[in-house]
Amino acid sequence: SPKMQGVAASVSESLGNIRPWLQKVTTQAKTTDSKYFTTTRKGEIFELKAELNSERKDKRKEAVKKVIASMTVGKDVSTLFPDVVNCMQADNLELKKLVYLYLMNYAKTQPDKAIMAVNTFVRDCEDPNPLIRALAVRTIGCIRVDEITAYLCDPLRKCLKDEDPYVRKTAAVCVAKLHDIDPLLVEEQGFLDALKELLADSNPMVVANAVAAITEISDSAQTDTAADMLCWSGQLINKLLTALNECTEWGQVFILDAVANYTPTENNEAQNMIERVSPRLAHANAAVVLSAVKVIMKLLEMLDPNSDFVVSTIKKLSAPLVTLLSSEPEIQYVALRNINLIVQKRPDILKQELKVFFVKYNDPIYVKLEKLDILIRLTSAANIANVLAELKEYATEVDVDFVRKAVRAIGRCAIKVESAAERCVSTLLDLIQTKVNYVVQEAIVVIKDIFRKYPNKYESVIGTLCENLDTLDEPEARASMIWIIGEYAERIDNADELLESFLEGFADEQTAVQLQLLTSVVKLFLKRPTDTQELVQQALSLATQEADNPDLRDRGYIYWRLLSTDPAAAKQVVLAEKPLISEETDLLEPNLLDELICHIGSLASVYHKPPAAFVDGRGGGQVAKATKGLPSRLAAEAGGAAAAAAGAGGGDFGAGTGAPGRPAVSVIPTQESLIGDLLDIDMSGGATAAAAMAAASASTNQQPVDLLGEGLDSLLGGPAPSATSPVPPSGASAAAGGSGADSLADIFGGLGGGVGGGLGGGGGFDPPMETWLPAQKGKGLQIEGRFLRRGPQLSMELRLRNNAMQQLNGFAVQFNKNSFGLAPAQPLAMNPLAPQQSVTTLLPLNTKGPVQKMDPLLTLQVAVKNNIDIFYFACLIPMYALFTEEGDMDKRVFLSTWKDIPPENETQFNLGSYAHDADTASTMLRSFNVFTIAKRSVESTDMLYQCVKLTNGILVLAELKIVPQTNAYTLSLKSRHVEIYPGVHEAYLAVLKG
Amino acid sequence: MIGGLFVYNHKGEVLISRVYRDDIGRNAVDAFRVNVIHARQQVRSPVTNIAHTSFFHIKRSNIWICAAAKKNVNAALVFQFLYKMVEVMGNYFGKINEDNIKNNFVLIYELLDEIMDYGYPQNTDTGILKTYITQQGIKSQTKEETTKITNQVTGQIAWRREGIKYRRNELFLDVIESVNLLMSPQGQVLSAHVSGRVQMKSFLSGMPECKFGINDKIVVDSKRQEPGATSGGGNLGGGGKAGHIAIDDCQFHQCVKLSKFDTEHAISFIPPDGEFELMRYRTTKDISLPFRVIPLVREIGRTKMEVKVVVKSNFKPSLLAQKVEVRIPTPLNTSGVQVICMKGKARYKASDNAIVWKIKRMGGMKEWQLSAEIDMLSATDKAKKWTRPPISMNFEVPFAPSGFKVRYLKVFESKLNYSDHDVIKWVRYIGKSGLYETRC
């Protein structure tokens, strides 16, 4: 081919350069082979042909060497095939090997001629010298010519039973070679059984190679029989673990990798396997260590996470992982990529080892970047000072990527460790002062996130940020800056000028910046409508009339429509409070993480991608295609939700709610997807706002659809039947459904969810009134009351009855300090109360009052004053009244929160039996702001993972287990504040009893 | 598994190309050259995926050694194998460079055929390989001989052949530690660890069983519990009365019986013949840092800088450190340097952007100083900010900074008539600098 010639030419050209030197060498030393690289003359093929057919043995050998050298540099020497094959019968082993090497390369291109070699192969397979027998069987498997393959079977069968282990171990691998050429032939000829027999061989290397071959064959098995035949049994695993001690380092890796594919059936077995594998952690070969870690990580999933055994095993893993970091840099890199996974799965393992991830000045850049990633993952309030000092140091290094990552990491620290936020922000400001362009831009991107995490806290730095406006040339930084301007437009005097200046170059901006610019201008308009009308019109017309991007146009139309129909609604949508962002960054999806844990040490763990993402489909078998997953804890062990939520459950979560495939907005996305996220920010904000708004309007019996009613049709110049038709998803997941890809649908989704939620909130049951102040104590005034929640509003409903003989007036109410800071949101509005008259009034409450922990926790002491006296009474706040509407969270946040809370905080309650199924229960609880985050079913037992957020921000995570036959409900609660459990328990009982 | 192995020179020309699997074609050889060796940017990862093929590479001087694979291979194994391959080649023909590779290409192909089959690493022990890959041709060998070879290659003790005889049974143990330190300018230890290895050279007859004893806390403790001695002996407190150290982690040569170490904390093994690395270990606690560097950098205006560096040796006065070298980085725009030092020789090396201060020998508990004035060219400061790299140190001291001690090494060979007492044993401790850096 012309390409080949090109390569050959370039090679020969460069070889020409070393020729003079080579000539010198060849005259000096007899044994050097480099002279063979010099055959570049014209007619050399012809000469070689002659030499290959020479009478003299040494000449022939020289010629073959020249041929191999030419082959190496990419020259086509296939025309010499018959001549080289002629040399095959030589009794010189070295020459034989070279000829075989040639054959492997060219047999495929010359199948008819390759047949000539068959007889020699077959004869060599019977040679008295085992080295030659092995060489023959090793080579013949690499010759992928059908005609030859047929001849291979008999010799291979003999070699598999050869008396010499060297031949057997080579034959074992040959079965895998043959399987790759013709899988059915291997099955028909019974080679799989022969291979299985080799697993019991007395020689460890034969066993190891047989394991390797079987693993490969079962990975690509085409038929069920093959897959079944090669299924590992516990007994076999046991044998292999015994053989482990005697194998070479490579053999140990083959065996450990095979063992990792086996899932034991009993806990004892898993524990026993861990015990037998863990000595490998002290092996000098990093591959052995990592494969052992893989096996152990997988088996740990099956065991009780609180058992001593698991705790001590986890402890054992840490040191070997750290040791890998003193290996060569390439191994360090592989180790770091794996540690990144392991730390996500089990954050405790390397908690104490922060310092080993400090970057060394001379580390290769790929090691530095990986270390930095892990450093951030291990950062906590306890070590933040050390980390921050390091990051500061890194931010002054030379490598741009590394510096950027370090700057970003400082921001991440601020978000992760609240107590250090201030220090981090001031460090970032220092860095901005350096005026190094990429540092400034990176800092601005990350400060945007800090603003979102701590609203109204660090806005004083906006001035400094604005000074650097002109230097921003990266879209992400520009978009971030524009977001900041829009978000804080009321505090930036010249926000309109700034945005206007961006708007001038609107057409040249990237989509992410355009979208952000549009939103920010609208925000500005809503905040300062008087002087920015022109600006907003300009922005809207740019977006709707001049932009080609459909997302941009759609968003423009929506804003336009919103602003023109109902500016108040627009305000609620665009300026809505945003959901908090999560602390953890760049977390892998739990089910992907679980899959990757099963691939520790392999390429998948290096790429952080499942094998299917980078391996050609061609090699994948039809049978064993299923992705790997971690085993779950055995049913007998199901003591709590911890294991389910922490590990095995991960995979099921995704399926549980059928949530959209894209991650929810609340997790800070990876660097690459950040631009996409900017798209999302406002849309999701809008969605929640819309939900809130819809809820409000629903409770006042208005039609929420109004907002997008016929007005939209006229705007778009046609009927839009789809506008109102989407069926709202269940309220639970709607708010989290924000996906930038289809933002229009999102708004509807959000709205629909809001409607459902709002109506649900109104439809909950109301508790009966309780008598709080009997008439005899109240000098004739009797007070009954209850707590109600309507949407976001918590109120106290009071029925006052005048049993006295005179008119009562001058009512006022006051609350004592209480655990949740409840206080009347407004004064008690009461007209004078005539004798025997009773009046019911609603007292709206807020939680801005002074806080003092009460005992019992939910006690509320109330003072009521009237013209007679002041009366005191105490009542109990029902816990559910304190459940806020912000309890919904992302599944991953739920998962990580669950893991963060120490297991000793978990408490279980038996709730008794109820007729409702899981979905009904979920709906009922939802109306009390108990949000179902995920649902899964294990052996027909339904598990609901729920979350409640109290008015004071305390999170309570719950696992509700429902056994369908008995309808027995079991509740496990997890929160950092165990005092509230009784209240939550009560609340569940109250709700479920209806 | 591995689909192919390629060796390139610095220009990207192929020196060795051995394809093991059908899924790796000739174009893979070119893909790596074009995308990695000839890539404009510096290599950002040792693993590169090009068109569904993954390339793993390491570099030795100017030589690129690359493994290509199509499947989801064990990445750690691939790199370990590449290191091993380099080691084997080194053992056969010395330094890895273009000339040596070209001169030995037939041998290399023979080795590659032997140490890897269908992408699976086979026996890679040089000692064993040398018994049958000799480049001499072995057709003449007798049946007994070949059987012996094949048994060794595949055997349980694949690292030692039988029938070794020495007139004098002798062994050498070198404890070689490298001390790694990162210190803040204020003298705070940011991180420090010792990575040590025990290098053994054995000339022992037969198949001797060895037992190796060290002063690791765990090992010592478990030993002490056996005879029921009073408890509390292995107390914490670092180099307590018995001088036990806390080894964070250790790794052993494949000859050491790991399961025995795990259960009994005993290090027992049948050693390979000749030199090998018996164990590797790592400690982080109670390291006695042999040197302390105290930097003082003062920038006087834009074109002048004053540097003062004090080096303190912190070990017994009777001991001597050797090959002490302090490297003080200088800005890229340095135009001239005046150095004064009390001891040793100091020189500004423009090519390294550093002042190199060499001290041949330095006793313990000494304190020496260097001061330098650095002149810089101005005007370029805006273009490239100079970030002060840390001051680094090199040295060699005749003790183990971790406190590691060899307690015993006993040799048992039941079949031959020599006992532990007849074996001549030598132990030596060397402490070297690893990355020994002080920020300034």
Side-chain angles (χ1 to χ4, degrees), chain B residues 300-314:
Chain B
I300 310 165
R302 286 201 172 167
T303 57
K304 213 172 177 75
M305 214 164 80
E306 245 180 40
V307 180
K308 219 176 247 178
V309 175
V310 178
V311 175
K312 277 187 183 174
S313 60
N314 192 15

Side-chain angles (χ1 to χ4, degrees), chain A residues 889-902:
Chain A
M889 60 163 69
D890 180 61
K891 282 195 285 289
R892 281 174 296 168
V893 180
F894 181 86
L895 204 60
S896 62
T897 318
W898 184 284
K899 280 194 270 183
D900 279 353
I901 301 174

Side-chain angles (χ1 to χ4, degrees), chain B residues 373-429:
Chain B
E373 266 183 37
I374 300 169
D375 296 315
M376 292 167 288
L377 298 168
S378 62
T380 54
D381 60 342
K382 213 178 168 190
K384 253 194 190 152
K385 207 168 104 341
W386 181 63
T387 59
R388 290 182 193 170
I391 294 178
S392 59
M393 248 198 109
N394 289 313
F395 55 80
E396 218 178 278
V397 290
F399 61 91
S402 71
F404 185 98
K405 285 262 153 49
V406 175
R407 289 174 59 234
Y408 55 81
L409 198 147
K410 292 179 191 149
V411 182
F412 307 93
E413 166 52 280
S414 46
K415 286 188 194 139
L416 299 174
N417 56 345
Y418 71 95
S419 73
D420 183 44
H421 295 291
D422 304 327
V423 180
I424 306 158
K425 302 165 189 170
W426 307 87
V427 182
R428 180 165 63 156
Y429 298 91

Side-chain angles (χ1 to χ4, degrees), chain B residues 132-145:
Chain B
Y132 69 108
I133 298 201
T134 55
Q135 289 260 274
Q136 305 300 320
I138 49 163
K139 186 68 184 178
S140 56
Q141 277 165 329
T142 64
K143 194 169 178 259
E144 288 72 40
E145 280 171 325

Side-chain angles (χ1 to χ4, degrees), chain A residues 532-559:
Chain A
T532 55
Q533 225 158 11
E534 209 172 304
L535 192 65
V536 80
Q537 261 162 10
Q538 191 190 345
L540 286 173
S541 66
L542 276 171
T544 52
Q545 283 157 30
E546 283 170 40
D548 295 329
N549 185 311
D551 281 345
L552 187 61
R553 220 175 40 220
D554 288 354
R555 196 187 283 195
Y557 276 127
I558 289 171
Y559 282 146

